[in-house]
Amino acid sequence: MPRELVTIQCGQCGNQIGCRFWELALREHAAYNSKGVFDEALSSFFRNVDARYVPPRNLPVGDGTGIIQTLKARSVIVDMECGVINEMLKGPLGDVLDTQQLISDVSGAGNNWAHGNHVYGPQYRDQMMEKIRCTVEACESLQSFLLLHSLGGGTGSGVGTYILELLADQYPDVFRFTASVFPSEDDDVVTSPYNALLSLSKLVEFADCVLPIENQALAEIVGRVDSGARGSTANTVPAAFGMVQEPGSRSKPFDSMNGIAAMMLLNMTSSVRFEGSLNVDLNDITMNLVPFPQMHFLISSMSPLTTPKDMAKISAPRTLDQIFTEVFNREHQLIRADPRHSTYLACGLLMRGNATISDINRNVARIKPSLRMAHWNTEGFKLGICSKPPVGVSNALLCLANNCAIAQTFTTMRDRFAKLYKRRFYTHHYEQYMDLSMFDHASETVSGIIDQYNAVDTAVPPPVTRFRSRGLTFL
Ligand SMILES: Nc1nc2c(ncn2[C@@H]2O[C@H](COP(=O)(O)OP(=O)(O)O)[C@@H](O)[C@H]2O)c(=O)[nH]1
Ligand SMILES: [Mg+2]
């Protein structure tokens, strides 16, 4: 039975990452679906519709041999400014994005979380719930929601976390994943420390699993990939997938960075879409990698670090051992934390391509002695193998680490917030829409999660009790 994922792309960043995500997903499915049929793999992300009807009529997967008519992303598209959305609809993905599933306004949330969360959220609540309901109803067996957004602005952060809270209330049994772009320290949005802290507190409370992404880390990755390479490949794409943007077409700012984030999401969902000898679906990820409910932030790292468009930039094919070594290298992380010097609560290793469980076990055994695992979860590795690698490579590995190093990232965010809040800079913009006590509450929530991670990091294993033979006593 198909297991679908409903994506909610919110705000400029969320929509731009969404664009790359759909583009790369189509490219990947095109590579493995040469017959142009609507199969279970495709149906996890897309609907197949007969567009001659209004509204377009859904064509279910059935036995997986029906021809692709028109693919529509299972996505709800939200932005309180219309610029990015309009451009998306005019672009090559215009046909894939369902305008019925779109909510936009004109004036934007002005980089103000409170405007997004307390004004646009309630104002568009019913419309958003209706669009989400329609998208959910078109699924046979919904597996998870995936929110794509940034924390630094107003819409993705404020409306995005409002939606997350709604989902927790209305669909408590469906897992809520988020890919959340954290602002960099030199972010151009002056209020980003406020927006980021307020949204982070909501992610702690209402998400099941958060994949933090730092723009600074993405920019450094792109810089390294670019400096190591030249040229680009051209993959041929079957006609049914013809809306895919061809490599070499004009790229926008953030494009390559967003491609890296999108590739991570494709790797994470590969087992949901393709078969493999060791399937890890999204529920397995939360089940295995999140031992305590609020400690659900996973540091991601990948090898190779590229997208199909930039495939020629990989200097040389990697061996499995290299790939394993690289995912434990900070240069391959989508967030600049330092997990090697902190405690792992659990670690997911999702392999794509031609690898066996013994290959993986051998590498885990090789690397494990250098990792500090929580003493109560020393075997806390979740392993997955999906037979289909990303387009253009023979193997790829995604590492998802639930690691206490994330506490440092949160501490930096809280410090940036405190620096502004101490002097009440810009707070009057927020007071227009919310009570200032929200700041204190958010700060407490974030401090709480920092404390939880620090407590695990500094926990001392209980002494090993040794039973000594006392010998026999004769009375
Ligand atoms: N990685 C990435 N970051 C983005 C993108 N667009 C904006 N940002 C970042 O997102 C933050 C601003 O949020 P934005 O999404 O523009 O605001 P919103 O439209 O109000 O949600 C800043 O930290 C920007 O650097 C994008 O396409 N990709
Ligand atoms: Mg915006």
Side-chain angles (χ1 to χ4, degrees):
M1 187 196 284
R3 301 278 280 146
E4 299 92 350
L5 185 93
V6 166
T7 301
I8 294 157
Q9 43 194 73
C10 190
Q12 171 180 314
C13 178
N15 277 292
Q16 290 182 164
I17 290 185
C19 256
R20 295 291 280 140
F21 176 71
W22 297 119
E23 184 194 328
L24 295 183
L26 284 169
R27 184 172 295 282
E28 203 164 285
H29 285 281
Y32 294 120
N33 184 337
S34 52
K35 291 188 185 143
V37 293
F38 185 62
D39 56 8
E40 284 198 6
L42 260 176
S43 84
S44 48
F45 281 174
F46 300 96
R47 287 183 296 134
N48 187 24
V49 300
D50 187 338
R52 289 171 306 175
Y53 297 90
V54 183
R57 189 174 289 179
N58 273 327
L59 303 166
V61 179
D63 62 1
T65 56
I67 294 298
I68 296 172
Q69 305 254 332
T70 302
L71 291 178
K72 293 284 178 195
R74 295 188 191 277
S75 185
V76 177
I77 301 158
V78 181
D79 201 355
M80 295 299 131
E81 267 172 314
C82 46
V84 170
I85 290 187
N86 287 345
E87 215 177 302
M88 251 168 34
L89 295 176
K90 276 190 269 160
L93 283 167
D95 282 345
V96 181
L97 301 171
D98 190 345
T99 46
Q100 309 277 325
Q101 298 304 119
L102 185 153
I103 294 164
S104 75
D105 202 304
V106 281
S107 52
N111 290 325
N112 184 334
W113 181 91
H115 194 184
N117 197 273
H118 283 53
V119 179
Y120 283 128
Q123 185 181 332
Y124 285 98
R125 181 187 190 281
D126 293 347
Q127 272 193 54
M128 292 190 296
M129 280 323 296
E130 178 59 13
K131 310 264 177 205
I132 292 169
R133 189 187 61 77
C134 288
T135 317
V136 168
E137 278 182 7
C139 299
E140 276 187 44
S141 173
L142 173 63
Q143 181 169 70
S144 306
F145 290 110
L146 171 63
L147 171 68
L148 308 178
H149 68 152
S150 65
L151 304 193
T155 302
S157 75
V159 183
T161 52
Y162 183 88
I163 295 174
L164 200 63
E165 203 168 336
L166 277 182
L167 295 177
D169 182 50
Q170 306 277 320
Y171 300 93
D173 300 332
V174 183
F175 283 111
R176 295 172 298 282
F177 281 71
T178 79
S180 305
V181 174
F182 286 25
S184 53
E185 275 158 51
D186 60 350
D187 199 88
D188 53 352
V189 177
V190 283
T191 49
S192 74
Y194 287 152
N195 302 329
L197 194 94
L198 288 159
S199 7
L200 179 57
S201 75
K202 296 289 181 188
L203 294 182
V204 172
E205 284 185 78
F206 299 110
D208 290 303
C209 187
V210 175
L211 299 148
I213 298 167
E214 266 180 358
N215 268 343
Q216 223 151 319
L218 293 184
E220 284 168 19
I221 290 171
V222 169
R224 276 192 298 271
V225 171
D226 281 346
S227 67
R230 60 187 68 106
S232 75
T233 50
N235 301 305
T236 44
V237 179
F241 299 86
M243 62 293 287
V244 178
Q245 195 173 5
E246 278 307 309
S249 55
R250 211 159 55 89
S251 60
K252 300 189 199 70
F254 287 121
D255 243 15
S256 300
M257 287 163 63
N258 292 345
I260 299 288
M263 200 62 230
M264 182 271 285
L265 296 171
L266 288 180
N267 287 340
M268 185 180 77
T269 54
S270 61
S271 265
V272 181
R273 298 175 291 129
F274 303 112
E275 78 279 8
S277 53
L278 209 55
N279 262 335
V280 175
D281 72 16
L282 297 179
N283 298 359
D284 292 327
I285 291 178
T286 38
M287 190 60 90
N288 289 276
L289 302 185
V290 180
F292 303 108
Q294 293 194 329
M295 300 168 89
H296 52 234
F297 295 83
L298 305 181
I299 297 172
S300 58
S301 53
M302 314 188 276
S303 175
L305 266 175
T306 190
T307 65
K309 211 162 160 179
D310 297 326
M311 208 51 80
K313 296 179 181 174
I314 302 182
S315 42
R318 274 132 168 91
T319 63
L320 277 187
D321 288 17
Q322 269 175 315
I323 284 178
F324 268 88
T325 304
E326 282 179 348
V327 295
F328 289 97
N329 177 332
R330 286 177 73 178
E331 292 192 350
H332 284 250
Q333 291 171 198
L334 277 64
I335 170 163
R336 296 162 315 138
D338 187 10
R340 290 299 281 267
H341 293 102
S342 295
T343 307
Y344 285 80
L345 285 82
C347 182
L349 290 164
L350 309 184
M351 172 58 83
R352 300 183 65 180
N354 187 16
T356 62
I357 186 67
S358 60
D359 290 328
I360 297 184
N361 283 336
R362 178 174 50 79
N363 273 291
V364 171
R366 178 172 67 85
I367 284 164
K368 198 175 141 190
S370 65
L371 309 181
R372 198 201 299 165
M373 300 298 292
H375 66 83
W376 38 264
N377 203 18
T378 51
E379 303 302 321
F381 293 89
K382 178 67 188 167
L383 310 177
I385 306 177
C386 164
S387 62
K388 301 281 192 276
V391 179
V393 292
S394 53
N395 286 100
L397 181 63
L398 171 68
C399 174
L400 297 173
N402 194 343
N403 185 289
C404 297
I406 196 72
Q408 187 51 52
T409 308
F410 296 161
T411 306
T412 307
M413 283 166 82
R414 189 187 54 186
D415 292 349
R416 290 182 64 220
F417 158 82
K419 223 160 136 183
L420 288 189
Y421 190 55
K422 202 165 58 186
R423 299 196 168 80
R424 300 291 187 268
F425 286 147
Y426 305 110
T427 52
H428 59 288
H429 297 301
Y430 290 76
E431 268 178 296
Q432 267 182 277
Y433 309 113
M434 70 179 208
D435 198 288
L436 268 198
S437 64
M438 288 282 302
F439 279 129
D440 301 306
H441 177 72
S443 182
E444 273 165 33
T445 305
V446 171
S447 296
I449 189 71
I450 293 172
D451 291 347
Q452 287 185 52
Y453 273 111
N454 284 341
V456 171
D457 205 26
T458 52
V460 182
V464 180
T465 318
R466 291 209 171 79
F467 295 101
R468 260 191 290 148
S469 150
R470 285 167 176 233
L472 294 172
T473 319
F474 297 96
L475 292 173

